Amino acid sequence: QVQLVESGGGSVQPGGSLRLSCAAFGNSYNIEYMGWFRQAPGKEREGVAAIWIGSGTTEYTDSVKGRFTISQDNAKNTVYLQMNSLKPEDTAMYYCAAAVDWRWAAFWYQVSRYNYWGQGTQVTVSS
């Protein structure tokens, strides 16, 4: 089993920045890639970014490219999401997720590809 614990959410004005953290506990050795998802009220959960633990390769959804950066600290079993130039439409609950099956990595943006989920951390962008 793997437990994921997110932190770093909060409220910020448009144009501001936040950094989310996701720490993995337990049998994290078999994690192939990790992703950040978000879900706004009344909307489906969407993939924001993903990172491959071994290679460090990253992927982003188009709406956050150039603004968000996903990174990892393997020594701490932690993945980060640096969010800059935040917009009101970035407001959502943000979730960290981990996947153990590398065969579906091309579909990193799909909720069903992930085996473990964190509880979520709220991000609110408002003036």
Side-chain angles (χ1 to χ4, degrees):
Q1 276 296 80
V2 175
Q3 294 79 43
L4 302 175
V5 179
E6 302 106 330
S7 61
S11 296
V12 65
Q13 292 185 341
S17 299
L18 284 173
R19 189 177 80 154
L20 306 183
S21 299
C22 173
F25 300 93
N27 296 326
S28 59
Y29 62 90
N30 58 345
I31 294 175
E32 292 289 339
Y33 57 98
M34 294 184 69
W36 284 98
F37 285 73
R38 64 186 180 187
Q39 188 168 19
K43 294 189 176 182
E44 293 187 353
R45 193 170 296 191
E46 66 166 341
V48 175
I51 186 166
W52 276 251
I53 302 303
S55 66
T57 301
T58 59
E59 291 282 358
Y60 299 91
T61 191
D62 286 346
S63 62
V64 307
K65 285 181 180 177
R67 300 189 298 124
F68 291 11
T69 302
I70 188 170
S71 62
Q72 61 182 340
D73 184 336
N74 290 338
K76 296 181 179 180
N77 287 336
T78 299
V79 171
Y80 304 97
L81 185 67
Q82 177 66 44
M83 305 185 295
N84 298 328
S85 302
L86 283 162
K87 305 175 181 180
E89 50 263 44
D90 294 318
T91 295
M93 184 71 78
Y94 282 70
Y95 298 91
C96 173
V100 302
D101 192 344
W102 61 269
R103 295 173 298 172
W104 303 107
F107 303 96
W108 65 269
Y109 50 89
Q110 295 180 347
V111 170
S112 61
R113 304 304 175 188
Y114 292 81
N115 306 94
Y116 304 102
W117 291 84
Q119 296 294 324
T121 185
Q122 178 67 37
V123 171
T124 302
V125 184
S126 174
S127 56

